[in-house]
Each structure stands twice: as structure tokens, then as C-alpha cells.
Amino acid sequence: MITIKNKASIRKMEQAGSLLVEMFEEVTPLIKAGLTTLELDQAIEALIKKKGLESRTKGYMGYAHASCISVNDEVVHGVPSGRVLKDGDLIKVDVCASWRGYCADMARSFYVGTMPEDVARFVENAQRALNKGIEQAVPGNRLGDISAAIQKEIEADGYGIIRDFAGHGIGKQMHEAPEILNVGQAGEGPVLRAGMAFAIEPMTTMGAHTVYITDDGWTVKTADKSLATHVEDTVVITENGPKILTRTTAADAASDAL
Ligand code: MF3
Ligand code: CO
């Protein structure tokens, strides 16, 4: 069942979203060659606490960190470690946190150093696909309209679309119904209504879409070692269309500049 959130719940999710955006803005300047992904995670965890947010990944099914940091051919759920960031790394930072019990989930891709043209096109495509999916999050549409819009944008540029992981409903829980695939048929699936809240998150590769989970039990990597990207926003469907809870300013300026 897809829950319909009332105004009070949505307000808390909005607050979670704007604090999460602030957190990303403050952490963005730290992303530089020489930093380890664990140091980055620790900075994220400290900022989450400072803002009165609560991490929803730390302790989730035994996961020990406040963020997932996935580097290059790692797609999602990268576990922060002593890995040192270096020029030429494409990293995906994914954070889910709640404010007074209500979650927001957000991911952005960042490049260490000067981004080459082909990587910029790749990341911009995922960002555009996310935007096209979000545009479909209006009352009366169907869930498949979101998935199909994402798929169309990614396939137009010939990138691989991860099938084994998906976006999700969100609210009191990080993961709620429905599962939001990044491939699908327009006109199919449940009808969308005001008050539904979704975390929409295209995951793409420069190669094939086959992925596997590494020995750490979390990190998802491309089987062909191709570069992967991931962006995610939390969106509430309103009578007037989608309201994105995890946008604005520096974090997006950094992504947009890619
Ligand atoms: N934030 C991730 C998502 O988009 C969830 C990470 S699950 C974790 O669904 F356990 F790895 F943290
Ligand atoms: Co998510």
C-alpha cells in the first residue's frame, strides 16, 4: 500500500529535505583528492547531528555508516573506508536522514578534479533522467509514467540502466512501497495521488547494466567495470505537481556545473 502523507508529515519531510540539502552544501567543498571516503562519511555524520537530523542508514540491517560513498565502477551502497580519493574519481554520495521521525533521501555525483567531457555528458544524462521522472509525479498519472520517462532519457543517450536496484516510497521509513524502477511502461502501475512521497534515483552505467555485490555484503559494482553514476531526490506529489524536497543551491550548482 502506498501511504498518503498528511500535511504535518509532509512538513517534517520538507524540513528533513532542506537540512539534508544544507548538509550536502557544507560537505561539497571537502570533496578533494587526499580525503578518504571514511573521513568524508565522518564529516557527513557530524553535520547530520549538528543539524538535528538522524541518520537512517547507520544501524539499518547492520550498516555502520551515515552515508554510502560509491567510487567509479561502484554504483550504490559503497561502504566508507580508508580508500583515498584521487583526481579522476567519480563519487556518488547517498544520505538518508530523518527529522522528527520523517525521512529524506538524497544522492549526488561529484568528480574529483576537472571533469572530462564524456563524464559530464554521462552525469548530466542521469540528472536529466531524474528531472524527467520527477515531472511525471503528478496526481492522476501512473507509476509507470515516472519509470518510462527515466528510461527514455537514459536510453536516448545509450547508457546502461541498473535493473537490480530501484527508487522507493519514503516517509516514516526510508524504504516504503512502491518500488520505483528506472525502466517501465507509461500508463501502467498504481495511480499517483497527492500526498505520496517518493525517492527517485536513476542509476546508470557507461557499459552494461549487470551488477554484483562485493564481499563486504553492500557495495554494488558494475560487472564490466564500467563507470557508474547515481542521483536521487525526495519528491512529494501535490495537487500542483511534484515538490522536490532535496534541491536548491550549492549542492546542485556543483552537480549542474559538471
Ligand atoms: N539511501 C539509500 C537508498 O537510496 C539506502 C542505502 S541502504 C544502506 O535507498 F543500508 F546501504 F544504507
Ligand atoms: Co533511496
Side-chain angles (χ1 to χ4, degrees), residues 45-246:
E45 185 171 358
L47 279 167
I48 284 174
K49 286 193 183 131
K50 189 176 129 194
K51 294 188 177 297
L53 290 167
E54 191 181 332
S55 167
R56 297 301 291 259
T57 55
K58 197 167 176 162
Y60 174 79
M61 292 171 72
Y63 191 76
H65 300 279
S67 65
C68 297
I69 302 174
S70 309
V71 185
N72 298 336
D73 58 337
E74 298 170 355
V75 187
V76 286
H77 303 170
V79 180
S81 71
R83 180 177 184 153
V84 179
L85 294 178
K86 56 176 184 5
D87 274 351
D89 284 340
L90 179 68
I91 71 165
K92 287 73 68 176
V93 180
D94 186 351
V95 180
C96 182
S98 58
W99 190 78
R100 298 195 185 168
Y102 285 82
C103 297
D105 196 354
M106 172 174 182
R108 293 290 184 270
S109 295
F110 302 91
Y111 197 78
V112 184
T114 307
M115 177 170 279
E117 205 30 52
D118 60 332
V119 180
R121 277 198 300 273
F122 174 52
V123 175
E124 280 162 12
N125 169 267
Q127 187 67 60
R128 223 167 33 243
L130 174 58
N131 292 346
K132 293 283 184 186
I134 290 171
E135 273 175 24
Q136 295 298 317
V138 297
N141 271 6
R142 288 181 182 263
L143 188 62
D145 296 335
I146 296 177
S147 305
I150 294 170
Q151 178 175 8
K152 186 174 166 211
E153 195 64 29
I154 298 168
E155 286 182 342
D157 288 351
Y159 298 116
I161 308 172
I162 304 299
R163 265 77 168 166
D164 295 353
F165 295 85
H168 47 93
I170 182 166
K172 274 190 180 170
Q173 303 302 321
M174 170 167 70
H175 293 153
E176 298 186 357
E179 185 172 54
I180 305 170
L181 295 170
N182 293 309
V183 293
Q185 290 291 327
E188 288 190 356
V191 176
L192 307 181
R193 307 216 179 279
M196 291 179 176
F198 294 161
I200 305 177
E201 47 181 321
M203 291 156 262
T204 65
T205 77
M206 279 199 173
H209 66 75
T210 312
V211 292
Y212 69 99
I213 298 173
T214 66
D215 291 343
D216 65 23
W218 289 102
T219 309
V220 176
K221 280 180 115 169
T222 57
D224 63 5
K225 298 188 165 41
S226 61
L227 193 65
T229 194
H230 173 220
V231 284
E232 174 174 27
D233 279 309
T234 298
V235 176
V236 173
I237 301 176
T238 78
E239 296 296 349
N240 303 319
K243 176 159 192 206
I244 308 175
L245 306 189
T246 45

